[in-house]
Amino acid sequence: MTIHVLLVEDDELLVKRIINHFAETEFCIENDATGADALAIVQSRANNHDAISLAIIDIVLPKRDGLHLAKELNTLTDIGVIMLSSRDSQADRIAGLAQGADDYICKPVDLLELELRIRALYKRLKSNNNSSDESEEFIEYADFKLHPDNRTLITANGIESRLTEAEHKVLICLISNAGKATSREKISEEIGQPDWSPNDRTVDVLIGRLRKKLSDEKDQKRIVTVRGKGYMLSI
């Protein structure tokens, strides 16, 4: 089976290296150098045999803002997104994740690491999709409902949103440990990113995104910060 990956990158040498690396694998790398057609490509092939499963997006593009493109893909499609950047800073990584990216890789790109990250993300996405064929039931908790297979969240006031793969895993982790504090380190491990430091703000950003989608009010948060211990989903 061929797995189609859209590479949004204008560095011709890097594009060639990535395409050559994956030439003997099941991953077919297609390049959109500017990102101008990325969303149209993904949407037009969504239900086809050659549907795009993952996108690798450079933050700095000649005609598009890579972060804005990541947000569009996260909002309007169900594909996984990996960001690329030459800027190795916590702020840049957080910015990428805040726009809905599932992972973030710094340049210069280690091709073996990229392949492992792609395989890990695809495996998680496929697992979610396979489950959706078996169940249409929601997990109901307090005043919201979560579909564990297609990652749809419905709040008490009927607002529906789709969670990213990372957001979904964070919320599942919090539901599984409802009523007790869950450390940032445990959350990082649960979402498949054990290399994330519990001292940085990556998990905090994901929590912030979940709070917005849960429509948490400032005076009554569904996700509570437990100082020195992590986060807790209130009962």
Side-chain angles (χ1 to χ4, degrees):
M1 181 184 71
T2 301
I3 303 165
H4 295 270
V5 179
L6 183 63
L7 174 61
V8 185
E9 170 64 64
D10 63 323
D11 183 331
E12 294 182 2
L13 180 58
L14 177 57
V15 170
K16 185 175 181 179
R17 288 179 60 227
I18 292 175
I19 290 176
N20 288 341
H21 178 84
F22 286 93
E24 301 300 322
T25 72
E26 67 272 38
F27 294 97
C28 175
I29 308 296
E30 305 175 34
N31 181 232
D32 175 12
T34 67
D37 301 318
L39 180 60
I41 290 171
V42 174
Q43 290 182 321
S44 66
R45 292 163 52 177
N47 299 312
N48 300 345
H49 70 281
D50 60 347
I52 302 295
S53 298
L54 303 168
I56 306 168
I57 305 172
D58 188 10
I59 287 182
V60 180
L61 296 169
K63 295 185 179 180
R64 290 294 310 270
D65 181 337
L67 293 174
H68 183 68
L69 175 58
K71 184 175 182 179
E72 280 187 341
L73 292 174
N74 171 54
T75 304
L76 301 174
T77 77
D78 292 318
I79 70 171
V81 175
I82 297 176
M83 301 300 299
L84 295 180
S85 177
S86 57
R87 297 173 293 191
D88 182 10
S89 73
Q90 182 183 137
D92 290 322
R93 184 170 74 252
I94 288 173
L97 295 171
Q99 297 304 322
D102 297 288
D103 208 345
Y104 184 101
I105 297 179
C106 295
K107 294 181 179 181
V109 176
D110 182 296
L111 295 177
L112 179 57
E113 178 187 4
L114 177 61
E115 180 179 347
L116 292 175
R117 297 282 189 100
I118 287 175
R119 290 186 180 281
L121 178 56
Y122 179 73
K123 183 178 180 181
R124 296 197 298 270
L125 294 172
K126 184 180 178 184
S127 176
N128 288 340
N129 291 336
N130 286 343
S131 297
S132 64
D133 295 333
E134 302 171 3
S135 171
E136 295 184 357
E137 296 183 359
F138 282 85
I139 294 174
E140 296 192 30
Y141 183 88
D143 57 356
F144 68 85
K145 296 192 299 183
L146 173 67
H147 197 298
D149 302 325
N150 61 26
R151 309 196 308 269
T152 299
L153 175 71
I154 302 177
T155 63
N157 53 8
I159 296 176
E160 182 175 323
S161 59
R162 189 185 68 86
L163 302 183
T164 66
E165 199 259 346
E167 291 168 350
H168 177 257
K169 285 187 175 291
V170 171
L171 187 54
I172 288 293
C173 180
L174 292 175
I175 291 174
S176 300
N177 296 277
K180 60 182 180 181
T182 306
S183 69
R184 291 174 176 83
E185 184 175 15
K186 179 175 177 59
I187 293 173
S188 295
E189 292 173 354
E190 289 292 328
I191 62 179
Q193 296 288 355
D195 55 322
W196 286 358
S197 168
N199 297 317
D200 71 25
R201 294 188 56 247
T202 302
V203 170
D204 301 338
V205 168
L206 293 173
I207 292 291
R209 279 164 35 187
L210 277 175
R211 282 175 169 161
K212 289 182 179 179
K213 291 184 177 181
L214 285 168
S215 300
D216 273 354
E217 299 295 336
K218 291 183 179 180
D219 59 344
Q220 188 179 10
K221 286 196 175 297
R222 177 63 60 201
I223 301 175
V224 180
T225 301
V226 182
R227 183 168 300 191
K229 293 186 177 181
Y231 294 102
M232 179 180 72
L233 193 62
S234 59
I235 296 176

